[in-house]
Amino acid sequence: MYIEQAYKGLHDWWRYVLGLLLIIIAVFLGQIPLTIAFFFKAWQNGDELTLLNEQNIMSLLEPNLNLFLMLLSFAAGLVGLFFVVKQVHEQSLVSVTTARPKMDWRRVWFAFLLWGIISTSFIVLDFYVTPENYVLNFNVVPFIILCVIAVVMIPLQTSFEEYLFRGYLMQGIGVVTKTKWIPLLTTSVVFGLLHIANPEIDQLGYVVMVYYIGTGLFLGIMTLMDDGMELALGFHAANNLFTALLVTADWTAFQTHSLFKDVSEPEVAGFMDVFMPVFVVFPIILFVFSKKYKWTNWQSKLIGPVQKPIQNDNQNV
């Protein structure tokens, strides 16, 4: 099973502490170009750094450059994570990804296309219901550049988050605590809390945390039930990619040269924005996946104990 894949490598608790520290360092190193660019642009404009708020900082750089440099830190984190898995844990990347003999790309693409179609449909529906909330933002050259950056870099960003939370930490916390529900809940809550610095929180309120934590729980359930991250990788990539290409707003984390711009006044998120995805849409998607991939033993896979495989008892792992 998925969490037990960690037993195929070196799984001492201190290795996960060391590994997490190295991954954090890699992310910070990846943020250096963005930090330098911010300071240089602020100096060039004669801005007082102490007077800049998050909104002003985000608008300092050209959107495509800002997006690329922002996503660069996630790419660096992914490289650092892969290094940690191979060198600190001596574990294969396949075993962090899935309990199957090899990664199932058909699962990745199915989840990607399914959520891409659903999320795009929601945006199109909202556009037709409230067209006054959108303005055409299309500009050929910037949009083409955005497409290149988004297609290359956003999957790296989402893959880093999935490999960190649903992969590395899910397995690490699981083998240390010998449980499945603790890593499921822990990674979901931490995943949500790391989005607390997003500008959406300031504009929409802390109720949005229900969406972020609920999404983490949804991806975690998906991973444990399917014995692999493939579905989560595809879903997460589609969610961020289609959002970046289709709609932007001045108060979101991704400010891009997208097709449309949402010019509506941000309000406290209601049922349609927060609760419907978490409590209606996500359960339906889990039901679809469960039927397609014949998921069984929900209780055992989600809250059962983590047991070291017998065949590994005498191995030096």
Side-chain angles (χ1 to χ4, degrees), residues 6-7 9-19 88-91 168 171-173 175-176 178 308 316-317:
Y7 287 113
L10 303 174
H11 52 274
D12 311 273
W13 67 267
W14 61 266
R15 294 181 186 274
Y16 287 98
V17 175
L18 174 62
V88 176
H89 296 275
E90 298 181 13
Q91 185 179 356
Y168 187 71
Q171 290 186 352
I173 297 173
V175 297
V176 170
K178 300 295 189 295
K308 186 176 181 180
N316 181 24
V317 292

Coordinates of all heavy atoms in Angstrom, one line a residue, residues 6-7 9-19 88-91 168 171-173 175-176 178 308 316-317:
A6 N 7.3 3.7 2.0 CA 8.5 4.4 2.6 C 9.4 3.4 3.2 O 10.6 3.6 3.4 CB 8.0 5.3 3.7
Y7 N 9.0 2.2 3.5 CA 9.8 1.1 4.0 C 10.8 0.6 3.0 O 11.7 -0.1 3.4 CB 9.0 0.0 4.6 CG 8.3 0.3 5.9 CD1 6.9 0.4 5.9 CD2 8.9 0.5 7.1 CE1 6.2 0.7 7.1 CE2 8.3 0.8 8.2 CZ 6.9 0.9 8.2 OH 6.2 1.2 9.4
G9 N 12.9 2.5 1.6 CA 14.0 3.3 1.8 C 14.4 3.4 3.2 O 13.8 2.8 4.1
L10 N 15.3 4.3 3.5 CA 15.7 4.6 4.9 C 14.7 5.5 5.5 O 14.5 6.7 5.0 CB 17.1 5.2 4.9 CG 18.2 4.4 4.3 CD1 19.5 5.2 4.2 CD2 18.4 3.1 5.0
H11 N 14.1 5.1 6.6 CA 12.9 5.8 7.1 C 13.0 6.3 8.5 O 12.0 6.4 9.2 CB 11.6 5.0 6.9 CG 11.8 3.6 7.4 ND1 12.3 2.6 6.7 CD2 11.5 3.1 8.7 CE1 12.3 1.5 7.5 NE2 11.8 1.8 8.7
D12 N 14.2 6.4 9.0 CA 14.3 7.0 10.4 C 13.7 8.3 10.5 O 13.8 9.1 9.6 CB 15.8 7.1 10.8 CG 16.6 5.8 10.5 OD1 16.6 4.9 11.3 OD2 17.1 5.7 9.3
W13 N 13.1 8.7 11.7 CA 12.4 9.9 11.9 C 13.3 11.1 11.6 O 12.9 12.1 11.0 CB 11.8 10.0 13.3 CG 12.8 10.1 14.4 CD1 13.4 9.1 15.1 CD2 13.4 11.3 14.9 NE1 14.3 9.6 16.0 CE2 14.4 10.9 15.9 CE3 13.3 12.7 14.5 CZ2 15.1 11.8 16.6 CZ3 14.1 13.6 15.2 CH2 15.0 13.2 16.2
W14 N 14.6 11.0 12.0 CA 15.5 12.2 11.8 C 15.8 12.5 10.4 O 16.1 13.6 10.0 CB 16.8 12.0 12.6 CG 17.6 10.8 12.2 CD1 17.6 9.5 12.8 CD2 18.6 10.7 11.2 NE1 18.5 8.7 12.1 CE2 19.1 9.4 11.1 CE3 19.1 11.7 10.3 CZ2 20.1 9.0 10.2 CZ3 20.1 11.3 9.4 CH2 20.5 10.0 9.3
R15 N 15.7 11.4 9.5 CA 15.9 11.7 8.1 C 14.8 12.6 7.5 O 15.1 13.4 6.6 CB 16.0 10.3 7.4 CG 17.2 9.5 7.7 CD 17.2 8.2 7.0 NE 18.2 7.3 7.4 CZ 19.5 7.3 7.0 NH1 19.8 8.2 6.0 NH2 20.4 6.5 7.5
Y16 N 13.6 12.4 8.0 CA 12.5 13.3 7.5 C 12.7 14.7 8.0 O 12.4 15.7 7.3 CB 11.2 12.7 7.9 CG 10.8 11.5 7.2 CD1 11.0 10.2 7.7 CD2 10.3 11.6 5.9 CE1 10.7 9.1 6.9 CE2 10.0 10.4 5.1 CZ 10.2 9.2 5.7 OH 9.9 8.1 4.9
V17 N 13.2 14.9 9.3 CA 13.5 16.2 9.8 C 14.6 16.9 9.0 O 14.4 18.0 8.5 CB 13.9 16.2 11.3 CG1 14.3 17.6 11.8 CG2 12.7 15.6 12.1
L18 N 15.7 16.1 8.7 CA 16.8 16.6 7.9 C 16.3 16.9 6.5 O 16.6 18.0 5.9 CB 17.9 15.6 7.9 CG 19.1 15.9 7.0 CD1 19.8 17.3 7.3 CD2 20.1 14.8 7.0
G19 N 15.5 16.0 5.9 CA 15.0 16.1 4.6 C 14.2 17.4 4.4 O 14.3 18.1 3.4
V88 N 19.1 11.1 0.9 CA 18.9 11.0 2.4 C 18.1 9.7 2.7 O 18.5 9.0 3.7 CB 18.1 12.2 2.9 CG1 17.8 12.0 4.4 CG2 18.9 13.5 2.6
H89 N 17.2 9.3 1.9 CA 16.4 8.1 2.2 C 16.7 6.9 1.3 O 16.2 5.8 1.6 CB 14.9 8.5 2.0 CG 14.4 9.5 2.9 ND1 13.9 9.2 4.2 CD2 14.3 10.9 2.8 CE1 13.6 10.3 4.8 NE2 13.8 11.3 4.0
E90 N 17.5 7.1 0.3 CA 17.8 6.0 -0.7 C 16.6 5.3 -1.1 O 16.5 4.1 -1.2 CB 18.8 5.1 0.0 CG 20.2 5.7 0.4 CD 21.1 4.7 1.0 OE1 20.9 3.5 0.9 OE2 22.1 5.2 1.5
Q91 N 15.6 6.1 -1.5 CA 14.3 5.6 -1.9 C 14.1 6.0 -3.4 O 14.5 7.1 -3.8 CB 13.2 6.2 -1.0 CG 11.8 5.6 -1.3 CD 10.8 6.2 -0.4 OE1 11.1 7.0 0.5 NE2 9.5 5.9 -0.6
Y168 N 6.0 12.8 0.3 CA 7.1 12.7 1.3 C 6.6 12.8 2.7 O 6.9 11.9 3.5 CB 8.1 13.9 1.0 CG 9.3 13.8 1.9 CD1 10.3 12.9 1.7 CD2 9.5 14.8 2.9 CE1 11.4 12.8 2.4 CE2 10.6 14.8 3.7 CZ 11.6 13.8 3.4 OH 12.7 13.7 4.2
Q171 N 4.0 9.9 3.7 CA 4.7 8.6 4.0 C 5.5 8.7 5.2 O 5.5 7.8 6.1 CB 5.6 8.2 2.8 CG 4.8 7.7 1.6 CD 5.7 7.2 0.5 OE1 7.0 7.3 0.6 NE2 5.2 6.6 -0.6
G172 N 6.2 9.9 5.4 CA 7.1 10.0 6.5 C 6.3 10.0 7.9 O 6.7 9.3 8.8
I173 N 5.3 10.8 7.9 CA 4.4 10.9 9.2 C 3.8 9.5 9.4 O 3.6 9.1 10.5 CB 3.4 12.0 9.1 CG1 4.1 13.4 9.0 CG2 2.5 12.0 10.3 CD1 3.2 14.5 8.7
V175 N 4.9 6.4 8.6 CA 5.7 5.4 9.1 C 6.2 5.7 10.5 O 6.6 4.8 11.3 CB 7.0 5.1 8.2 CG1 6.5 4.6 6.8 CG2 7.8 6.4 8.0
V176 N 6.3 7.0 10.8 CA 6.7 7.4 12.2 C 5.6 7.2 13.2 O 5.8 6.7 14.3 CB 7.1 8.9 12.2 CG1 7.3 9.4 13.7 CG2 8.4 9.0 11.4
K178 N 2.8 5.3 12.6 CA 2.2 4.0 12.4 C 0.7 4.1 12.2 O -0.1 3.2 12.4 CB 2.5 3.0 13.5 CG 4.0 2.7 13.7 CD 4.6 2.0 12.5 CE 6.0 1.6 12.8 NZ 7.0 2.7 13.0
K308 N 4.8 -2.5 8.8 CA 5.9 -2.7 8.0 C 5.7 -4.1 7.3 O 5.4 -5.1 7.9 CB 7.2 -2.8 8.9 CG 8.5 -2.9 8.1 CD 9.7 -2.9 9.1 CE 11.0 -3.0 8.3 NZ 12.2 -2.9 9.2
N316 N 18.1 -4.2 5.4 CA 18.7 -3.1 6.1 C 18.1 -1.8 5.5 O 18.7 -1.2 4.5 CB 20.2 -3.1 5.9 CG 20.9 -2.0 6.6 OD1 20.4 -1.4 7.5 ND2 22.1 -1.6 6.1
V317 N 16.9 -1.4 5.9 CA 16.3 -0.3 5.4 C 16.0 0.8 6.4 O 15.6 0.6 7.5 CB 14.9 -0.7 4.7 CG1 15.2 -1.5 3.4 CG2 14.0 -1.4 5.6

